[in-house]
PDB file of all heavy atoms in Angstrom:
ATOM      1  N   GLY A 666      -6.666 -18.376  19.977  1.00 64.00           N
ATOM      2  CA  GLY A 666      -5.738 -18.709  21.042  1.00 64.00           C
ATOM      3  C   GLY A 666      -4.673 -17.644  21.179  1.00 64.00           C
ATOM      4  O   GLY A 666      -4.554 -16.728  20.360  1.00 64.00           O
ATOM      5  N   VAL A 686       6.447   4.663   7.716  1.00 95.00           N
ATOM      6  CA  VAL A 686       7.699   4.987   7.035  1.00 95.00           C
ATOM      7  C   VAL A 686       7.419   5.557   5.647  1.00 95.00           C
ATOM      8  O   VAL A 686       8.014   6.564   5.232  1.00 95.00           O
ATOM      9  CB  VAL A 686       8.595   3.740   6.945  1.00 95.00           C
ATOM     10  CG1 VAL A 686       9.792   3.983   6.026  1.00 95.00           C
ATOM     11  CG2 VAL A 686       9.080   3.342   8.331  1.00 95.00           C
ATOM     12  N   ILE A 776       8.437  -6.357   1.571  1.00 93.00           N
ATOM     13  CA  ILE A 776       7.687  -6.441   2.822  1.00 93.00           C
ATOM     14  C   ILE A 776       6.184  -6.490   2.568  1.00 93.00           C
ATOM     15  O   ILE A 776       5.442  -7.176   3.286  1.00 93.00           O
ATOM     16  CB  ILE A 776       8.051  -5.276   3.774  1.00 93.00           C
ATOM     17  CG1 ILE A 776       7.523  -5.566   5.183  1.00 93.00           C
ATOM     18  CG2 ILE A 776       7.512  -3.944   3.265  1.00 93.00           C
ATOM     19  CD1 ILE A 776       7.978  -4.569   6.228  1.00 93.00           C
ATOM     20  N   LEU A 813       2.747  13.658  11.545  1.00 89.00           N
ATOM     21  CA  LEU A 813       3.997  13.989  12.207  1.00 89.00           C
ATOM     22  C   LEU A 813       4.953  14.697  11.255  1.00 89.00           C
ATOM     23  O   LEU A 813       5.644  15.655  11.633  1.00 89.00           O
ATOM     24  CB  LEU A 813       4.645  12.717  12.753  1.00 89.00           C
ATOM     25  CG  LEU A 813       5.925  12.891  13.558  1.00 89.00           C
ATOM     26  CD1 LEU A 813       5.675  13.730  14.807  1.00 89.00           C
ATOM     27  CD2 LEU A 813       6.495  11.518  13.940  1.00 89.00           C
ATOM     28  N   ALA A 818       7.885  19.436   9.462  1.00 77.00           N
ATOM     29  CA  ALA A 818       8.390  19.985   8.196  1.00 77.00           C
ATOM     30  C   ALA A 818       9.101  21.321   8.393  1.00 77.00           C
ATOM     31  O   ALA A 818      10.110  21.599   7.730  1.00 77.00           O
ATOM     32  CB  ALA A 818       7.245  20.135   7.196  1.00 77.00           C
ATOM     33  N   LEU A 835      13.660   0.510  13.044  1.00 97.00           N
ATOM     34  CA  LEU A 835      14.505  -0.557  13.589  1.00 97.00           C
ATOM     35  C   LEU A 835      14.031  -0.992  14.969  1.00 97.00           C
ATOM     36  O   LEU A 835      14.068  -2.187  15.308  1.00 97.00           O
ATOM     37  CB  LEU A 835      15.955  -0.090  13.643  1.00 97.00           C
ATOM     38  CG  LEU A 835      16.638   0.134  12.285  1.00 97.00           C
ATOM     39  CD1 LEU A 835      18.037   0.698  12.483  1.00 97.00           C
ATOM     40  CD2 LEU A 835      16.693  -1.165  11.483  1.00 97.00           C
ATOM     41  N   HIS A 848       6.748 -17.714  16.063  1.00 80.00           N
ATOM     42  CA  HIS A 848       5.578 -18.497  15.675  1.00 80.00           C
ATOM     43  C   HIS A 848       5.654 -18.888  14.198  1.00 80.00           C
ATOM     44  O   HIS A 848       6.033 -18.084  13.346  1.00 80.00           O
ATOM     45  CB  HIS A 848       4.285 -17.705  15.914  1.00 80.00           C
ATOM     46  CG  HIS A 848       4.072 -17.330  17.340  1.00 80.00           C
ATOM     47  ND1 HIS A 848       4.571 -16.156  17.886  1.00 80.00           N
ATOM     48  CD2 HIS A 848       3.425 -17.969  18.351  1.00 80.00           C
ATOM     49  CE1 HIS A 848       4.227 -16.082  19.164  1.00 80.00           C
ATOM     50  NE2 HIS A 848       3.541 -17.168  19.464  1.00 80.00           N
ATOM     51  N   CYS A 884      -6.077  -1.000 -10.102  1.00 92.00           N
ATOM     52  CA  CYS A 884      -6.808   0.252 -10.333  1.00 92.00           C
ATOM     53  C   CYS A 884      -6.940   1.071  -9.052  1.00 92.00           C
ATOM     54  O   CYS A 884      -6.815   2.301  -9.064  1.00 92.00           O
ATOM     55  CB  CYS A 884      -8.196  -0.051 -10.887  1.00 92.00           C
ATOM     56  SG  CYS A 884      -8.214  -0.656 -12.594  1.00 92.00           S
ATOM     57  N   VAL A 924     -10.566   4.833   8.795  1.00 92.00           N
ATOM     58  CA  VAL A 924     -11.950   4.686   9.241  1.00 92.00           C
ATOM     59  C   VAL A 924     -12.675   3.655   8.381  1.00 92.00           C
ATOM     60  O   VAL A 924     -13.396   2.777   8.895  1.00 92.00           O
ATOM     61  CB  VAL A 924     -12.673   6.041   9.198  1.00 92.00           C
ATOM     62  CG1 VAL A 924     -14.162   5.878   9.470  1.00 92.00           C
ATOM     63  CG2 VAL A 924     -12.059   7.006  10.201  1.00 92.00           C
ATOM     64  N   ALA A1031      -9.473   8.995 -10.836  1.00 94.00           N
ATOM     65  CA  ALA A1031     -10.931   8.839 -10.889  1.00 94.00           C
ATOM     66  C   ALA A1031     -11.336   7.847 -11.968  1.00 94.00           C
ATOM     67  O   ALA A1031     -12.238   7.020 -11.769  1.00 94.00           O
ATOM     68  CB  ALA A1031     -11.590  10.199 -11.142  1.00 94.00           C
TER      69      ALA A1031
END
Side-chain angles (χ1 to χ4, degrees):
V686 170
I776 194 173
L813 184 62
L835 293 176
H848 299 89
C884 289
V924 172

